[in-house]
Amino acid sequence: MQNTAKNSAPAASGELQRKLKSRHLTMISLGGTIGTGLFLASGGSIHTAGPGGTLLSFVVIGIMVFFLMTSLAEMASYMPVAGSFSTYATKFVDPSVGFALGWNYWYNWAITIAAELAAVTLIMKFWFPDTPSYIWSALFLAIMFLLNYLSVKGFGESEYWFSLIKVVTVIIFLILGTLMIFGILGGEAIGFKNFTIGDAPFNGGFFTTLGVFMAAGFSFQGTELLGVAAGETEDPKKNIPKAVKSVFWRILLFYILAILVISLIIPYTDSRLARSEITVSPFTLVFDKAGIAFAASVMNAIILTAVLSAGNSGMYASTRMLWDLARDGKAPKFLAKLDSRGVPVPALIVTAAVGAVAFLASLFGDGAIYTWLLNASGMSGFIAWLGIAISHYRFRKAYVAQGRDLRDLPYRAKWFPIGPIFAFLLCFVVILGQNYSAFTGDTIDWQGALVSYIGIPIFLAVWLGYKFKHKTKVVPLKECDFE
């Protein structure tokens, strides 16, 4: 069990150092969420499902994420550990579930690092089309490694500024967009006519909107980062609930308002929204329409910051999860070592190496291995969310079963048990619906189904393999460990 000592706790004692402040925690969670999903992929969602279908999808998924965030906050403020939901599942569900969730989450972010390195090469080719890809990927991998190697405070500070750039961009976008809608900027008032153009606000029916649910789910992934950061946060009982309350509403408002502004200014029928190039990013199109010079270059720079931020957060989250697994005897012991500044350097090196090897797989042959690795990680975030919902339900039940007073919890999630049950069911539907179209044709697309759902059998194999080997059982409520 991780010590909750103050900042002065020496790293030599085997503990992380609590040097992340409230502002760091808020921006880490924001930074893990506001990225290419909003800046690039939102246009494709609007083009597919129309403005109404897209807004509905993001609102419903946003409500689910709210319940997951409050569930995580209740556990993390009471028991702030770097292992987060892996530790909670071990203590309140079954050690085998905790083992599988931990490795699932580490793999997810390690492969995300590779994905961000691949994205960096595409972004840099916008300015330097003739430069070899590996130069940029190596440079940015080194930057992400160093930001995590220096100290947790160095990571927190860099993530704060990366995230601030994204937040300021969204705010400026919302202000300019609103001025354009009402004709204060750009001449003629656009008004709300594009919201009902053609088949809008809803386009394509129920299954089309269901497809956008998946995109919305991917866009919100990263909010759970504050649970991992809880192990290095100053005064977690106060700062984690504070971060949860501010982060969720900011994320939801940013996404909902940005999608509304894009939908009103650019009709969903505009084919440019379906493309994922930076030159036709919905943000680029709106900035360009507002008369901002070099809009594509500006957005390219901002998206580069978003990618670096996501990779930076991914390296932090996966390193801490791997370190915690090692401390718990679920990964090689040498990975549990910390240096004098409280940084888990061996876990950081292994994580960076795996990310680099996965990226190199994208450069050889047709990149098929890399595609499979990426698809296997695609489901991981949703599986982690399922783990949070199950762990919180059992946490609260065990807390009451052991005669503890709910008023002693630093933060209590509202709407229990409706919240975690709703989040679990909706998350389960999203997982099953990842590629529903593979089963709706005249013949089943087995290859498409396998590519989409490969993450599920991998998770089940890790979970059940550990369970059968160690003969673990579901922890009885009265035996759950709250120490």
Side-chain angles (χ1 to χ4, degrees):
M1 182 44 211
Q2 189 172 325
N3 195 331
T4 55
K6 297 288 183 185
N7 297 356
S8 57
S13 67
E15 300 302 332
L16 300 172
Q17 296 185 353
R18 296 191 178 279
K19 292 190 174 180
L20 291 177
K21 301 182 185 297
S22 176
R23 65 185 180 90
H24 293 141
L25 200 62
T26 300
M27 284 301 189
I28 285 168
S29 199
L30 276 173
T33 311
I34 298 174
T36 53
L38 179 61
F39 294 138
L40 290 176
S42 57
S45 297
I46 293 167
H47 183 71
T48 302
T54 306
L55 285 170
L56 176 65
S57 298
F58 275 83
V59 167
V60 174
I61 293 291
I63 292 169
M64 179 189 80
V65 171
F66 170 73
F67 286 131
L68 287 170
M69 292 276 281
T70 54
S71 290
L72 186 57
E74 180 172 301
M75 295 184 289
S77 57
Y78 183 84
M79 190 179 288
V81 291
S84 191
F85 33 87
S86 171
T87 300
Y88 306 144
T90 296
K91 287 177 173 289
F92 309 120
V93 185
D94 183 324
S96 61
V97 177
F99 175 83
L101 281 174
W103 279 105
N104 167 79
Y105 199 67
W106 171 80
Y107 173 81
N108 176 35
W109 280 109
I111 299 302
T112 298
I113 293 168
E116 304 304 343
L117 292 176
V120 159
T121 62
L122 296 174
I123 293 166
M124 294 308 294
K125 282 186 180 295
F126 179 88
W127 292 305
F128 307 99
D130 301 322
T131 311
S133 298
Y134 64 85
I135 291 177
W136 299 117
S137 56
L139 175 63
F140 279 85
L141 179 63
I143 291 171
M144 288 186 279
F145 181 88
L146 287 173
L147 290 174
N148 277 270
Y149 175 77
L150 293 174
S151 70
V152 67
K153 192 173 182 181
F155 160 76
E157 206 60 43
S158 62
E159 196 54 36
Y160 176 83
W161 291 105
F162 287 151
S163 299
L164 190 61
I165 291 170
K166 293 186 281 186
V167 169
V168 169
T169 300
V170 176
I171 291 171
I172 291 172
F173 173 82
L174 293 175
I175 292 170
L176 288 177
T178 303
L179 294 176
M180 291 167 69
I181 290 165
F182 293 102
I184 300 169
L185 185 70
E188 182 188 354
I190 298 168
F192 294 84
K193 62 185 179 184
N194 286 332
F195 202 79
T196 53
I197 194 171
D199 293 331
F202 295 92
N203 178 55
F206 171 76
F207 284 107
T208 304
T209 302
L210 179 64
V212 175
F213 266 90
M214 317 302 165
F218 282 114
S219 295
F220 279 115
Q221 283 185 17
T223 48
E224 75 289 334
L225 276 168
L226 64 82
V228 178
E232 294 170 277
T233 300
E234 285 182 355
D235 195 0
K237 292 185 178 183
K238 173 187 169 187
N239 287 329
I240 290 171
K242 183 179 175 184
V244 165
K245 288 173 186 174
S246 62
V247 165
F248 171 76
W249 294 111
R250 289 179 194 178
I251 290 172
L252 191 62
L253 281 172
F254 283 163
Y255 270 93
I256 298 306
L257 292 178
I259 288 168
L260 182 61
V261 165
I262 294 166
S263 301
L264 293 177
I265 294 174
I266 305 167
Y268 84 95
T269 51
D270 192 324
S271 60
R272 292 176 299 177
L273 289 175
R275 292 159 58 191
S276 58
E277 298 99 305
I278 289 154
T279 51
V280 288
S281 151
F283 276 65
T284 305
L285 295 175
V286 171
F287 281 142
D288 197 42
K289 204 165 184 176
I292 294 179
F294 312 114
S297 285
V298 170
M299 275 314 299
N300 202 55
I302 290 163
I303 290 169
L304 180 64
T305 303
V307 166
L308 185 56
S309 169
N312 194 35
S313 294
M315 193 167 284
Y316 171 82
S318 49
T319 296
R320 267 42 179 195
M321 188 61 76
L322 187 58
W323 172 82
D324 199 79
L325 286 166
R327 263 178 54 114
D328 207 25
K330 294 173 180 174
K333 210 67 187 170
F334 79 94
L335 296 170
K337 292 180 181 176
L338 296 171
D339 70 2
S340 60
R341 295 155 300 138
V343 177
V345 176
L348 176 62
I349 291 171
V350 168
T351 299
V354 169
V357 169
F359 168 72
L360 289 174
S362 70
L363 301 179
F364 293 101
D366 58 359
I369 295 173
Y370 174 70
T371 302
W372 280 95
L373 289 172
L374 210 56
N375 284 326
S377 76
M379 197 78 77
S380 301
F382 293 105
I383 292 172
W385 285 357
L386 278 180
I388 292 171
I390 296 167
S391 297
H392 179 231
Y393 182 84
R394 295 268 306 168
F395 170 89
R396 180 73 79 89
K397 289 289 185 183
Y399 196 88
V400 173
Q402 293 184 20
R404 296 168 183 266
D405 191 341
L406 290 174
R407 288 174 295 183
D408 293 336
L409 289 171
Y411 173 81
R412 199 181 339 166
K414 297 180 177 66
W415 298 93
F416 184 89
I418 295 171
I421 291 173
F422 172 79
F424 176 88
L425 292 174
L426 186 57
C427 209
F428 195 70
V429 168
V430 170
I431 286 175
L432 292 181
Q434 285 293 312
N435 189 8
Y436 64 89
S437 58
F439 303 97
T440 55
D442 294 333
T443 57
I444 296 176
D445 178 9
W446 289 110
Q447 184 179 355
L450 185 61
V451 166
S452 301
Y453 295 101
I454 186 67
I456 296 175
I458 290 175
F459 177 81
L460 291 174
V462 174
W463 167 29
L464 296 175
Y466 187 89
K467 187 172 182 66
F468 291 138
K469 182 182 178 182
H470 296 276
K471 297 180 173 58
T472 63
K473 295 180 180 178
V474 174
V475 184
L477 293 177
K478 293 202 173 182
E479 294 177 21
C480 288
D481 178 16
F482 284 91
E483 294 303 315

